[in-house]
Amino acid sequence: MRCLFMCVGVLLASVAITEARPKAAGNQKCKSGPVDLVFIIDGSRSVRPHEFETMRKFMIDIIHELDIGRDITRVGVVQYSSQVQNVFSLKDFTTHQQMVKAINEIIPLAQGTMTGLAIRYAMNVAFSTAEGARPNVPHVAVIVTDGRPQDRVAEVAAAARESGIEIYAVGVARADMTSLRAMASPPFEDHVFLVESFDLIHQFGLQFQDKLCKIDLCVESDHGCDHICESSPGSYQCLCLPGYTLNEDGKTCTAIDLCAEGKHDCEQICISSPGSFTCDCNTGYTLNEDKKTCTMIDYCSFGNDSCEHECVSVLNGFNCRCKEGYALNDDKRTCTMIDYCSFGNDSCEHECVSVLQSFYCRCNEGYNLNEDETTCTMIDYCSFGNDSCEHECVSILNGFNCRCKEGYKLNDDKKTCTMIDYCSFGNDSCEHECVSVLNGFYCRCNEGYTLNEDERTCTMINYCSFGNDSCEHECVSVLKGFNCRCNEGYTLNEDKKTCTMIDYCSFGNDSCEHECVSVLKGFNCRCYEGYTLNEDKRTCTMIDYCSFGNDSCEHECVSVLKGFNCRCNEGYTLNEDKRTCTMIDYCSFGNDSCEHECVSVLKGFNCRCNEGYTLNEDKRTCTMIDYCSFGNHSCDHECVSVLNGFYCRCNKDYTLQEDGKTCQADNLCNVVEHGCEHQCVSTPGSYYCICPEGHLLQDDGKSCGSCRSANIDLVLLIDGSKSVRPQNFELVKQFVNQVVDQLDVSGHGTRVGLVQYSSRVRTEFPLSMYKSKEEIKAAVLKVEYMEKGTMTGLALKHMVENSFSEAEGARAASRNIPRIGLVFTDGRSQDDITEWAKKAKDAGITMYAVGVGKAVEDELRLIASEPVEKHFFYSADFSAISQIAENLKLNICAEESQGEIEVKDPCACDSLVEFQQATMTTLNQLNQKHILYSSMSHQPKYYSQFQQNKVT
């Protein structure tokens, strides 16, 4: 793991080391250990050609900092979009030149963004042994992407990490932070990076450089290690003393119990100590010289005189044992010879005879003992010669008998045999004839019959089954032949084979009104075309086609033979389709009497006026509707009727508002009781009050307080990230100098410090350095643009811990000199700002946040002090910041400027720096000049904070 972290550190810090710092003598750098590294690069269509070139250079720069070789570092590259392309494997190249050449030849795939598919390929293929991955060597994947994955990444990334792959996720511009965290290994602060553009991709290693190569982290703290803290480049690990093991928290130690883990060779009892053990034996055993095995105590060695034959040691004592062939008596000491036959002589077929340590078997008369010396065999008298038996001789005890073969019976002479006639026993089971054979009989059928499967009964032969194709309907078998038969309703023809259906109509069809049709076993009546058969099945009626549904006729259906005709109602005429009807258009006969429009109705016509007009009483002419006559109360001043409506008009020196009804004076200060103590300033639709120089507008928005320019400690944090651009950074410096112009700068008056931040933080000058506006403004103009990332959280930490320290010129808190922090940024922070924004305010620093362009409102609000609406400001572009700074004045109550008394009203602590008055003035001017937006409706969130502070 130590080697893995060092290698990743080299990947992350290498380019930053070469560009951000001068090279030390001998070009010393962190050396990478054995590692298998695979770049997984996004080749989707959203990566533009010049951005892909930047990513190509990023890989080449990192590879140049690695120790490439078969036994050191192996590198592979995978490109993905909607598919995955293996650019080169871990096993392919062993030199920098080979890898650089292959990287320069990559052609972007320019399709979708299937990041999950690429991670699965890396896990299953790129990091496989076949592709050159090594066991017991760290496997590291660096994923570079600029968008949201189009497939699922969480499950496959978890599987990849579980397989031992450490994943670094580098997101650029449009990349999704949630997806990056789902891909990367923990901890996320070490494995997840998000930069604004591909131009900044080489900078994400800067923050790791010092901690990887220089700092001994264990010198700073023991990090909660229970026993030992061991440093490694950029990291540390906790170790335990011998005999202890590190717990899952990675810090505390637990004594190793080798006995519980089974890591011992003790035969019986294991006694544990931290990292070690000793062996012991159970009662009745003694430990051998190897200190592991045990031997039972031999009690017979103490004297076995009481045993008649032999002494045998057992656990915690001894037993007596008899010699073979003897049994131990009840006194457990003496022995008696064993009677083996008394145990059961089952093994002897006839008789058992006992002897010392054994027995033998003996057979009865007429039997011989077999070779197994256990069983007996009867003497075979047939073996002495059985010539007198015709078939077979069977030995019996003390003699023999003759036996015939199967199917034969022994004759009266007890020697010869005759075959058995089974049919003579009765052949009732045979239906026709019984035929006797050896060992049985079989049945035979008469001519014209066949034997059934039961081999007993007979069935007449079915000649129809041999093929009855000559019979048209049915074949009927008879003995030794067959006949043809017709189905019911048919008669057999003279050829005795074919059949003809009986024609029932030929018998007379007088009952059918129109036509008789013969059918099987009878006849049906049929009507002529255009008629239908009645229920009596004999007579016919003409078909009423209209009764089938006259939907096709719009009005009325009239039935005729074989069809129907359509007819229209009065006042309508039948169309050419002979189905639909059209009302007669009486207007087409001449509508001269209607002023506007003639509308035909049934059997006549009506006149109708155009929209916005009403029909007069003569039902012919029209007059325009006067909408104002309905009541013009919604118009503030005057109602003007027009066609189809009305509009409102304002009196002189008034302007019609967006609602189109109300009127507002062009100069509200001249027509309302504004109550401003000093001066009223009109704005479109509103006004606000201002105070003379040296005074502050009070909370009521009208009166002026006796506050004057006072002493503060002011630190400005300005964003120097790449997204600001050089020309805009010059505007930022002008903004700073315009703020400084409003301050009373001196050694005992206001002090100003300047900090620039990007991926790092740099103090341009501390609070104690300059004593005049001229010195500060000259120093600001010399500030060089850093052009890197946006680490706002790191800048806030630097401000709290360093910029407002007495060492850098901040005056003691006991003097009550207000501390003011102003953060200027143009984009989203790449690190977390929550902790240090809170700590800054908890430290008594009044925080203001000014955002431009892509600044994030939620972050500005998090930085700003309460009330938030008075402490954060936003402008759409850099051209507006000079207008803000021109009117920005830092004012403070006279009582607090002395620095030795308690802060109290009317100038409370949360109002020490009054950006609000000047910023409201500026933003209202910008609104009128269309600097921020052509319409404030485009920025409702930012504009609302200023509207709330106006007197309406």
Side-chain angles (χ1 to χ4, degrees):
M1 183 62 192
R2 190 183 313 166
C3 175
L4 171 60
F5 198 85
M6 182 181 294
C7 175
V8 173
V10 171
L11 297 181
L12 300 176
S14 59
V15 177
I17 293 172
T18 59
E19 292 192 12
R21 300 186 178 181
K23 301 209 173 181
N27 193 26
Q28 295 180 354
K29 59 185 179 182
C30 295
K31 294 290 184 179
S32 60
V35 65
D36 291 340
L37 170 65
V38 174
F39 289 99
I40 304 173
I41 61 172
D42 185 350
S44 61
R45 65 174 65 89
S46 61
V47 180
R48 296 167 178 80
H50 71 276
E51 294 174 337
F52 195 90
E53 292 305 312
T54 302
M55 187 158 51
R56 195 194 308 271
K57 182 178 182 300
F58 160 72
M59 289 189 289
I60 292 174
D61 288 341
I62 287 182
I63 289 174
H64 276 310
E65 295 299 318
L66 301 177
D67 298 323
I68 301 297
R70 290 287 185 198
D71 300 322
I72 311 172
T73 298
R74 298 183 183 182
V75 177
V77 176
V78 172
Q79 183 192 184
Y80 73 93
S81 58
S82 296
Q83 56 186 337
V84 180
Q85 176 192 37
N86 183 31
V87 179
F88 59 84
S89 302
L90 293 168
K91 66 181 180 180
D92 289 344
F93 302 132
T94 58
T95 67
H96 295 86
Q97 293 78 7
Q98 293 171 320
M99 294 180 183
V100 170
K101 181 177 182 297
I103 290 173
N104 283 329
E105 293 174 352
I106 299 175
I107 299 175
L109 295 173
Q111 296 172 352
T113 310
M114 302 296 285
T115 312
L117 183 66
I119 297 174
R120 186 176 302 280
Y121 178 89
M123 177 176 64
N124 295 336
V125 180
F127 281 110
S128 66
T129 305
E131 293 299 312
R134 295 166 288 180
N136 302 322
V137 168
H139 291 172
V140 179
V142 177
I143 302 173
V144 183
T145 181
D146 81 322
R148 183 188 298 274
Q150 293 175 341
D151 57 354
R152 299 173 67 90
V153 298
E155 293 84 356
V156 68
R161 294 192 299 267
E162 191 170 338
S163 72
I165 302 173
E166 188 165 16
I167 301 176
Y168 285 79
V170 181
V172 182
R174 300 167 292 276
D176 176 54
M177 177 60 78
T178 302
S179 299
L180 296 177
R181 292 169 70 92
M183 291 185 271
S185 299
F188 296 132
E189 56 268 26
D190 293 336
H191 295 81
V192 178
F193 305 90
L194 181 62
V195 295
E196 292 178 346
S197 67
F198 279 87
D199 294 335
L200 300 176
I201 192 173
H202 65 280
Q203 298 178 8
F204 72 86
L206 260 178
Q207 57 187 296
F208 297 95
Q209 179 179 351
D210 289 339
K211 76 174 184 179
L212 290 173
C213 299
K214 295 180 180 180
I215 299 174
D216 185 344
L217 297 181
C218 287
V219 172
E220 299 175 357
S221 167
D222 63 3
H223 300 286
C225 293
D226 205 355
H227 288 177
I228 302 169
C229 176
E230 179 183 74
S231 287
S232 60
S235 184
Y236 68 90
Q237 64 176 341
C238 295
L239 302 177
C240 295
L241 296 172
Y244 292 82
T245 183
L246 192 66
N247 294 328
E248 291 184 0
D249 60 9
K251 296 183 178 182
T252 59
C253 300
T254 300
I256 298 173
D257 187 351
L258 296 179
C259 292
E261 296 176 5
K263 297 178 179 178
H264 62 86
D265 298 326
C266 295
E267 184 177 358
Q268 292 185 359
I269 300 173
C270 177
I271 301 173
S272 183
S273 59
S276 183
F277 65 90
T278 57
C279 297
D280 200 358
C281 295
N282 297 327
T283 304
Y285 291 84
T286 181
L287 192 65
N288 296 330
E289 291 182 0
D290 61 6
K291 302 301 182 182
K292 295 181 180 179
T293 60
C294 299
T295 300
M296 190 175 67
I297 300 171
D298 183 7
Y299 287 91
C300 288
S301 63
F302 303 152
N304 62 346
D305 299 343
S306 59
C307 291
E308 181 179 2
H309 283 183
E310 184 179 353
C311 177
V312 179
S313 281
V314 295
L315 185 61
N316 298 321
F318 68 90
N319 292 328
C320 292
R321 186 167 59 195
C322 296
K323 296 176 182 178
E324 189 175 1
Y326 290 84
L328 192 66
N329 294 328
D330 292 339
D331 60 7
K332 306 297 182 182
R333 296 289 185 271
T334 58
C335 301
T336 300
M337 189 178 75
I338 297 170
D339 180 6
Y340 286 92
C341 287
S342 65
F343 298 155
N345 63 341
D346 296 345
S347 59
C348 290
E349 188 174 0
H350 286 182
E351 183 181 358
C352 175
V353 179
S354 191
V355 295
L356 182 61
Q357 298 184 9
S358 187
F359 67 90
Y360 68 90
C361 295
R362 189 164 53 199
C363 294
N364 297 330
E365 185 179 1
Y367 290 83
N368 288 328
L369 190 66
N370 295 328
E371 292 183 359
D372 61 7
E373 296 185 349
T374 301
T375 60
C376 301
T377 300
M378 187 176 69
I379 298 170
D380 182 10
Y381 289 93
C382 288
S383 64
F384 302 153
N386 61 344
D387 298 342
S388 57
C389 290
E390 182 178 0
H391 283 181
E392 184 181 355
C393 175
V394 180
S395 284
I396 58 176
L397 186 62
N398 297 320
F400 69 90
N401 289 328
C402 292
R403 186 166 57 197
C404 294
K405 296 177 182 177
E406 189 176 1
Y408 292 83
K409 63 179 180 178
L410 194 65
N411 295 328
D412 292 340
D413 60 5
K414 303 299 183 183
K415 296 290 189 289
T416 58
C417 301
T418 302
M419 188 177 75
I420 299 170
D421 180 9
Y422 287 92
C423 287
S424 64
F425 300 155
N427 64 341
D428 297 342
S429 59
C430 289
E431 185 177 359
H432 285 184
E433 182 181 358
C434 175
V435 179
S436 194
V437 295
L438 183 63
N439 292 326
F441 66 92
Y442 68 88
C443 294
R444 187 162 55 197
C445 294
N446 299 331
E447 186 179 2
Y449 290 83
T450 182
L451 192 65
N452 295 329
E453 290 183 358
D454 61 5
E455 297 184 349
R456 294 289 186 272
T457 60
C458 300
T459 299
M460 187 176 70
I461 297 171
N462 182 8
Y463 287 91
C464 288
S465 64
F466 300 156
N468 63 340
D469 296 345
S470 58
C471 290
E472 183 178 1
H473 282 184
E474 185 181 355
C475 176
V476 180
S477 281
V478 296
L479 187 61
K480 300 180 183 180
F482 68 89
N483 293 326
C484 291
R485 186 165 58 198
C486 292
N487 297 333
E488 188 177 359
Y490 290 83
T491 182
L492 190 65
N493 295 329
E494 292 182 359
D495 61 4
K496 305 300 181 180
K497 298 288 189 291
T498 60
C499 301
T500 300
M501 187 176 73
I502 299 170
D503 182 7
Y504 287 92
C505 286
S506 63
F507 301 155
N509 63 340
D510 299 341
S511 61
C512 290
E513 183 178 357
H514 283 183
E515 184 180 356
C516 176
V517 179
S518 280
V519 296
L520 187 62
K521 302 180 185 179
F523 66 91
N524 292 329
C525 292
R526 185 165 60 195
C527 296
Y528 300 144
E529 186 178 1
Y531 291 83
T532 182
L533 193 65
N534 295 329
E535 291 183 0
D536 61 4
K537 304 299 182 182
R538 296 290 183 271
T539 60
C540 301
T541 300
M542 188 176 75
I543 297 170
D544 180 7
Y545 286 92
C546 289
S547 65
F548 299 156
N550 62 341
D551 295 347
S552 59
C553 289
E554 186 174 1
H555 285 182
E556 184 180 356
C557 176
V558 179
S559 278
V560 296
L561 184 62
K562 300 182 182 180
F564 65 90
N565 293 327
C566 293
R567 185 164 57 198
C568 294
N569 298 331
E570 186 179 1
Y572 290 84
T573 181
L574 191 66
N575 294 328
E576 292 183 359
D577 61 5
K578 304 301 182 182
R579 295 289 185 272
T580 59
C581 300
T582 300
M583 188 175 70
I584 298 170
D585 182 9
Y586 288 91
C587 288
S588 64
F589 302 155
N591 64 340
D592 298 342
S593 59
C594 290
E595 182 178 0
H596 283 183
E597 183 181 355
C598 175
V599 180
S600 281
V601 295
L602 188 61
K603 301 179 183 179
F605 68 89
N606 292 327
C607 292
R608 185 165 59 195
C609 295
N610 297 334
E611 188 177 2
Y613 290 83
T614 182
L615 193 66
N616 295 328
E617 293 182 0
D618 61 4
K619 304 300 182 182
R620 295 290 184 270
T621 59
C622 301
T623 300
M624 188 176 74
I625 298 170
D626 181 7
Y627 286 92
C628 288
S629 64
F630 301 156
N632 64 339
H633 304 291
S634 58
C635 288
D636 208 352
H637 285 179
E638 182 181 357
C639 174
V640 179
S641 278
V642 293
L643 185 61
N644 293 326
F646 68 92
Y647 68 89
C648 295
R649 186 162 58 198
C650 294
N651 299 332
K652 185 178 180 182
D653 296 328
Y654 284 83
T655 299
L656 191 65
Q657 301 302 297
E658 291 184 359
D659 62 2
K661 297 179 181 180
T662 58
C663 299
Q664 192 171 74
D666 295 336
N667 189 336
L668 284 179
C669 289
N670 295 334
V671 298
V672 299
E673 292 293 334
H674 52 75
C676 294
E677 182 178 344
H678 176 65
Q679 182 180 347
C680 174
V681 179
S682 283
T683 62
S686 185
Y687 67 89
Y688 62 91
C689 299
I690 61 174
C691 293
E693 187 174 358
H695 291 74
L696 287 179
L697 192 67
Q698 301 303 298
D699 289 339
D700 62 4
K702 299 179 180 182
S703 58
C704 299
S706 58
C707 293
R708 63 179 178 81
S709 180
N711 303 330
I712 62 172
D713 286 343
L714 171 65
V715 175
L716 297 101
L717 303 182
I718 60 173
D719 186 348
S721 62
K722 187 176 182 67
S723 59
V724 173
R725 310 296 183 193
Q727 65 273 23
N728 289 332
F729 190 72
E730 293 303 315
L731 295 177
V732 174
K733 292 196 288 186
Q734 292 178 22
F735 167 81
V736 173
N737 281 343
Q738 286 179 277
V739 172
V740 172
D741 277 334
Q742 308 301 321
L743 304 176
D744 181 14
V745 178
S746 68
H748 299 289
T750 292
R751 298 181 183 180
V752 178
L754 181 63
V755 174
Q756 183 184 179
Y757 70 93
S758 57
S759 296
R760 296 179 294 169
V761 182
R762 183 172 71 203
T763 298
E764 302 296 351
F765 52 83
L767 290 166
S768 60
M769 182 167 286
Y770 300 116
K771 304 296 187 293
S772 69
K773 297 179 184 178
E774 291 71 21
E775 291 177 308
I776 293 174
K777 291 169 68 176
V780 169
L781 293 176
K782 294 178 182 178
V783 172
E784 294 184 359
Y785 179 31
M786 294 177 74
E787 194 177 0
K788 296 186 183 296
T790 309
M791 305 295 286
T792 310
L794 189 64
L796 290 169
K797 180 177 184 291
H798 179 87
M799 180 193 73
V800 174
E801 294 183 340
N802 300 292
S803 300
F804 281 111
S805 67
E806 293 184 30
E808 292 204 359
R811 284 163 284 195
S814 61
R815 296 181 59 186
N816 290 330
I817 301 297
R819 294 182 176 182
I820 310 298
L822 189 153
V823 178
F824 184 98
T825 181
D826 84 320
R828 181 187 294 275
S829 176
Q830 293 174 338
D831 61 352
D832 184 44
I833 67 170
T834 306
E835 177 184 2
W836 288 102
K838 182 178 184 301
K839 286 185 176 180
K841 290 176 279 192
D842 290 346
I845 303 170
T846 301
M847 296 298 301
Y848 284 81
V850 179
V852 180
K854 296 182 180 179
V856 179
E857 178 184 354
D858 291 343
E859 291 188 354
L860 296 175
R861 288 179 170 272
L862 198 60
I863 294 171
S865 293
E866 295 289 344
V868 174
E869 287 72 16
K870 293 184 178 182
H871 291 82
F872 95 91
F873 308 95
Y874 173 80
S875 173
D877 55 56
F878 282 88
S879 64
I881 63 174
S882 63
Q883 298 294 328
I884 295 175
E886 185 177 344
N887 293 281
L888 192 63
K889 296 179 180 180
L890 305 176
N891 294 297
I892 190 167
C893 293
E895 294 88 343
E896 292 184 9
S897 67
Q898 299 171 6
E900 303 295 339
I901 63 174
E902 181 181 0
V903 179
K904 54 188 177 182
D905 287 333
C907 300
C909 279
D910 59 358
S911 301
L912 294 178
V913 182
E914 289 289 345
F915 279 7
Q916 179 188 6
Q917 175 181 331
T919 304
M920 282 171 48
T921 302
T922 301
L923 292 181
N924 281 319
Q925 292 173 353
L926 297 180
N927 181 32
Q928 296 172 25
K929 296 177 181 179
H930 298 274
I931 292 176
L932 291 177
Y933 291 98
S934 61
S935 172
M936 277 300 180
S937 62
H938 295 170
Q939 286 288 337
K941 291 185 178 178
Y942 297 118
Y943 187 60
S944 64
Q945 60 184 297
F946 303 113
Q947 290 290 74
Q948 291 169 6
N949 294 314
K950 292 182 181 180
V951 179
T952 57

